[in-house]
Amino acid sequence: MSTSDPLDFFDSVDRTAAEPRAPRRKRKLMDSLSIYLPVMLMGLLALASYWLLRATPAPQAAEPPRAVSSEPDYFMRRFSVKSFDAKGELKTQVSGAEARHFPATDMVEIDSARIRHIGDNGLPMLASARLVTTNGDNTEFVLEGNAVIVREAGTGLDGKAQPRLEFQGEFLHIYLDPDRIVSDRPVVLLRGSDRLVADSLDYTGEDQVARFKGRVKVQLAPR
């Protein structure tokens, strides 16, 4: 039996050898998180987007176009409206007791209307009636009730003298472009001292020709 010290056994052990380490589970977990984290974030963003779409109210359906009212949308009382040409010269002036605009047709009705228009020949035309209906750009006028149109005498652009013309009737339709006066009802035409009565009228100002239909009566003043 050895007489050596029992503790010598521990002295023979190499204490400088490295002790075994625990598995690196923490590092592996971090590596896994770094790999799958972008995927998880994308999934969260997709869920958030889906939630926002569900939470957003649906767009309202477009309203069908409203029918344009046949009732007047504005009135003018005791008014006067003027229009000018490209040179700034007065072309047309319309006045009346009351005007009513109808949006469905863009027409204007005028009570006790008076119209003054300067034609291309430089001669003024005056018109009046109990009721006048005109379009939006004032190029057509329908005169009803004691309608009178007067084209003053003067000299035209061609240098020729033009006599005074007066049209009378219960219905007269004026076109400004081209210059024309039409009526399908009885009308009276005064040309200077001459008088003509007919059942209808179609007058063109460019050639100063009047066409009549139906019964025609002419009264010529002695020359």
Side-chain angles (χ1 to χ4, degrees):
M1 187 172 183
S2 173
T3 59
S4 61
D5 190 349
L7 297 178
D8 291 343
F9 172 76
F10 294 98
D11 294 336
S12 62
V13 176
D14 186 2
R15 298 184 179 181
T16 61
E19 297 180 357
R21 298 180 179 180
R24 300 181 179 180
R25 295 181 179 178
K26 186 175 182 181
R27 180 175 296 178
K28 291 182 179 181
L29 179 60
M30 294 300 295
D31 292 342
S32 300
L33 288 176
S34 63
I35 294 174
Y36 294 105
L37 184 60
V39 178
M40 297 172 60
L41 290 176
M42 291 180 65
L44 289 176
L45 288 175
L47 289 175
S49 301
Y50 176 76
W51 179 83
L52 286 175
L53 289 175
R54 292 292 302 272
T56 303
Q60 296 181 355
E63 296 184 359
R66 297 181 179 179
V68 181
S69 175
S70 59
E71 298 297 323
D73 57 352
Y74 70 79
F75 298 84
M76 293 188 295
R77 293 182 173 89
R78 296 182 180 180
F79 71 97
S80 178
V81 178
K82 300 178 181 180
S83 61
F84 301 84
D85 59 14
K87 297 180 181 179
E89 298 179 355
L90 179 64
K91 194 69 174 177
T92 305
Q93 180 177 356
V94 181
S95 59
E98 180 179 292
R100 299 170 294 277
H101 177 259
F102 295 86
T105 58
D106 194 25
M107 304 293 284
V108 178
E109 288 183 353
I110 307 170
D111 296 332
S112 302
R114 294 183 177 273
I115 305 165
R116 185 176 188 271
H117 174 72
I118 307 300
D120 295 335
N121 56 6
L123 301 179
M125 179 200 73
L126 306 176
S128 63
R130 287 197 296 267
L131 176 65
V132 171
T133 304
T134 177
N135 57 354
D137 55 1
N138 289 337
T139 58
E140 293 185 33
F141 299 89
V142 177
L143 286 65
E144 299 177 87
N146 196 23
V148 178
I149 301 174
V150 176
R151 293 180 181 272
E152 297 294 350
T155 302
L157 297 178
D158 56 1
K160 296 181 180 180
Q162 297 185 7
R164 180 182 185 273
L165 295 176
E166 181 174 341
F167 304 85
Q168 302 175 1
E170 288 300 306
F171 176 88
L172 296 172
H173 192 161
I174 303 174
Y175 298 88
L176 298 184
D177 188 18
D179 186 7
R180 187 181 176 199
I181 299 175
V182 178
S183 178
D184 58 357
R185 304 179 195 177
V187 63
V188 176
L189 171 60
L190 303 177
R191 185 180 185 274
S193 300
D194 300 335
R195 176 186 175 90
L196 188 147
V197 180
D199 289 339
S200 65
L201 167 71
D202 189 346
Y203 171 83
T204 53
E206 183 177 359
D207 52 12
Q208 301 180 37
V209 174
R211 299 173 179 85
F212 305 96
K213 293 182 180 180
R215 295 172 298 176
V216 179
K217 297 181 181 180
V218 181
Q219 181 180 348
L220 301 177
R223 297 293 192 270

